[in-house]
């Protein structure tokens, strides 16, 4: 993709560059129904699309398809742009172009997100963009309040449309030492303390008599009752109960 010059039949190396004044004049004319001005404006802003498409080179997606999705976003931005607002077109267009590209990449992903959740997420993005005009620090709470939905619904919807990331994604690289995402994930079930406790438990069990080990195995791994164990081991239920309590007490004593 990095070496690609012709995308969707367009020679990107020869794309025109419009001045600010030309952009304003063409926008005014196309809003008045001038189709020639509309076409010239679209072509004149394809460099903007190309600059945004470059961000997605690492996604291993087809360059033509990504560029085409970006152009769809550009056209949507042109159709919805309000010249009376006084905002630069590029400022308005960038989020829409990026949104269309991400939507294309997301819809082509093997992880499918339901339409209702995607629609909610897109509404959230619109509300966030609106709120950011007056407040740079837009939180989930503010979005939820504006949309009259739960904060958890905002978080869930935005998380659902986020691109999945590999655990082997490099997040830091210096002097040949690469730090992967999985290196920064904490596993509460397999930390040093848990491993120490497991080792102590195994050691305590290993010190029990064979009959006590069997009773604990049948009781806690196979889920049998003391009566069933007594029949299998060949002793009374009272003896099973006593041996079980003694074994548990020894294990507790060894661990604590």
């Amino acid at each position: 993709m990095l070496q690609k010059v012709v995308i969707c039949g367009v020679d990107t190396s020869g794309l025109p560059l419009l001045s600010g004044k030309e952009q304003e004049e063409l926008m005014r004319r196309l809003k008045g129904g001038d189709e020639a001005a509309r076409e010239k404006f679209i072509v004149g802003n394809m460099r903007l699309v190309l600059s945004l498409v470059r961000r997605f080179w690492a996604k291993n997606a087809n360059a033509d398809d990504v560029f085409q999705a970006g152009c769809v976003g550009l056209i949507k931005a042109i159709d919805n742009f309000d010249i009376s607002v006084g905002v630069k077109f590029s400022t308005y267009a960038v989020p829409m172009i990026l949104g269309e590209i991400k939507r294309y990449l997301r819809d082509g992903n093997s992880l499918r997100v339901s339409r209702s959740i995607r629609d909610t997420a897109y509404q959230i993005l619109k509300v966030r963009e609106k709120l950011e005009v007056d407040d740079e620090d837009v939180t989930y709470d503010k979005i939820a309040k504006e949309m009259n939905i739960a904060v958890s619904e905002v978080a869930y919807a935005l998380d659902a449309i986020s691109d999945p990331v590999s655990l082997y994604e490099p997040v830091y690289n210096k002097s040949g030492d690469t730090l992967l995402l999985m290196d920064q994930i904490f596993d509460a079930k397999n930390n040093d303390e848990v491993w120490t406790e497991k080792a102590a438990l195994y050691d305590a069990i290993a010190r029990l008599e064979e009959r006590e080990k069997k009773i604990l195995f049948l009781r806690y791994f196979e889920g049998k009752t003391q009566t069933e164990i007594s029949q299998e081991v060949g002793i009374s239920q009272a003896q099973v109960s006593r041996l079980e309590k003694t074994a548990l007490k020894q294990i507790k004593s060894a661990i604590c």
Side-chain angles (χ1 to χ4, degrees), residues 208-236:
L208 298 175
E209 298 292 335
E210 288 303 318
R211 188 165 60 174
E212 293 173 331
K213 290 179 185 177
K214 185 172 184 179
I215 289 173
L216 291 183
F217 177 80
L218 294 172
R219 187 87 168 96
Y220 295 99
F221 287 87
E222 293 193 358
K224 293 186 176 182
T225 65
Q226 291 182 344
T227 302
E228 291 173 328
I229 295 172
S230 69
Q231 294 172 353
E232 185 169 334
V233 178
I235 59 178
S236 68

Side-chain angles (χ1 to χ4, degrees), residues 138-152:
V138 178
T139 63
Y140 284 180
D141 290 320
K142 293 177 182 177
I143 295 173
K145 185 177 180 180
E146 178 73 16
M147 297 182 66
N148 196 27
I149 60 176
V151 176
S152 58

Side-chain angles (χ1 to χ4, degrees), residues 193-205:
E193 185 178 346
V194 172
W195 280 107
T196 303
E197 289 178 355
K198 284 184 177 180
L201 176 62
Y202 294 151
D203 183 62
I205 293 174

Side-chain angles (χ1 to χ4, degrees), residues 25 32 36 47 67 71 100 103 128 135 141 165 207 247:
E25 175 61 23
R47 282 185 178 274
F67 184 74
C71 288
E100 203 64 37
R103 185 178 296 114
R128 184 174 68 182
D135 184 1
D141 290 320
V165 180
R207 296 180 185 180

